[in-house]
Amino acid sequence: MWIYEKRLEYPVKISKPNAQLAKVIITQYGGPDGELGASLRYLSQRYSMPYPELKAILTDIGTEELAHLEMIGAIVHQLTKDLTMDEIKKGGFDAYFVDHTTGVYPSAANGTPYNAFSMAVKGDVITDIHEDMAAEQKARTTYDNILRFTDDPDVKDAIRFLREREVVHYQRFGEGLRIATDKLDSKNFYAFNPEFDRNCKNK
């Protein structure tokens, strides 16, 4: 259960519409390394996470990713809500507009709709945490790329905040990896797993 505070995690106040920029930024709404996939990945992985410390990290970060999804939606909405038809055509936003008008739809920058195949939930502690660390770096790189396409200070301010949080999440998952590795080492997990051995002998 969550308590929802009715404000963005970080303010988004964009004054200039920009269809081309909206087409790029929407990838962090529903693209392969975007916030929708991140929130679903972490909030799904927590169910099979055996260690409470790591379950807490997944819950905290997964919840924050929902807040980031909300921010990206607000950015895309503010960049497109006052577009003229001429701006839509010149900005190459016409194909998107035909399907969604100016609604915020989860897709990548190339127009591909969100697909859950872009995220992984393995139920294995080490595999999932490495997936999470890689996901945070991919998101950080995507924000780096977005910043190359804009000189709008209002957009850059919000995107820089989001980029910074990806770095923090990467660090927290790194801490989680150390916790998990210590716990697994104490069970001699990699050298010998009696459950796997027992299952093999029964076959």
Side-chain angles (χ1 to χ4, degrees), residues 38-116:
S39 60
L40 290 174
R41 177 188 300 110
Y42 307 147
L43 293 175
S44 297
Q45 286 177 355
R46 68 192 177 123
Y47 289 104
S48 57
M49 183 58 65
Y51 307 123
E53 305 97 320
L54 275 70
K55 189 173 294 215
I57 290 173
L58 287 166
T59 302
D60 289 348
I61 296 177
T63 301
E64 186 177 355
E65 302 292 14
L66 290 172
H68 294 175
L69 182 71
E70 187 178 36
M71 281 183 64
I72 291 294
I75 292 169
V76 172
H77 172 67
Q78 290 180 26
L79 285 170
T80 59
K81 67 176 181 176
D82 295 322
L83 289 173
T84 65
M85 289 308 297
D86 189 49
E87 288 170 330
I88 288 170
K89 293 173 185 175
K90 285 183 178 178
F93 200 68
D94 46 350
Y96 181 97
F97 185 87
V98 167
D99 287 335
H100 311 294
T101 319
T102 54
V104 179
Y105 178 76
S107 65
N110 64 8
T112 304
Y114 174 73
N115 190 323

Side-chain angles (χ1 to χ4, degrees), residues 9-202:
E9 182 183 6
Y10 190 85
V12 175
K13 296 180 181 177
I14 297 167
S15 55
K16 298 176 184 175
N18 187 324
Q20 287 180 312
L21 194 51
K23 282 182 62 179
V24 172
I25 291 175
I26 202 163
T27 201
Q28 281 302 92
Y29 194 81
D33 305 310
E35 305 293 356
L36 176 59
S39 60
L40 290 174
R41 177 188 300 110
Y42 307 147
L43 293 175
S44 297
Q45 286 177 355
R46 68 192 177 123
Y47 289 104
S48 57
M49 183 58 65
Y51 307 123
E53 305 97 320
L54 275 70
K55 189 173 294 215
I57 290 173
L58 287 166
T59 302
D60 289 348
I61 296 177
T63 301
E64 186 177 355
E65 302 292 14
L66 290 172
H68 294 175
L69 182 71
E70 187 178 36
M71 281 183 64
I72 291 294
I75 292 169
V76 172
H77 172 67
Q78 290 180 26
L79 285 170
T80 59
K81 67 176 181 176
D82 295 322
L83 289 173
T84 65
M85 289 308 297
D86 189 49
E87 288 170 330
I88 288 170
K89 293 173 185 175
K90 285 183 178 178
F93 200 68
D94 46 350
Y96 181 97
F97 185 87
V98 167
D99 287 335
H100 311 294
T101 319
T102 54
V104 179
Y105 178 76
S107 65
N110 64 8
T112 304
Y114 174 73
N115 190 323
F117 280 131
S118 63
M119 54 172 270
V121 179
K122 282 293 193 181
D124 177 272
V125 177
I126 299 298
T127 304
D128 280 347
I129 296 176
H130 276 286
E131 160 81 8
D132 302 340
M133 293 177 71
E136 293 299 327
Q137 286 299 327
K138 288 187 283 186
R140 190 266 308 159
T141 301
T142 303
Y143 282 125
D144 284 344
N145 291 338
I146 288 170
L147 287 169
R148 292 183 170 99
F149 283 90
T150 180
D151 56 5
D152 185 326
D154 297 332
V155 175
K156 288 174 79 170
D157 183 51
I159 295 298
R160 281 176 175 154
F161 170 82
L162 290 164
R163 181 197 181 278
E164 180 182 292
R165 295 307 298 164
E166 305 298 346
V167 175
V168 172
H169 293 172
Y170 175 79
Q171 293 168 340
R172 287 201 65 198
F173 281 129
E175 294 164 5
L177 180 61
R178 286 190 292 276
I179 293 169
T181 302
D182 288 345
K183 289 180 180 291
L184 291 172
D185 283 348
S186 70
K187 296 178 180 179
N188 208 15
F189 183 84
Y190 290 108
F192 174 69
N193 188 317
E195 288 301 318
F196 293 161
D197 188 58
R198 195 161 33 245
N199 290 339
C200 290
K201 286 180 180 177
N202 292 334

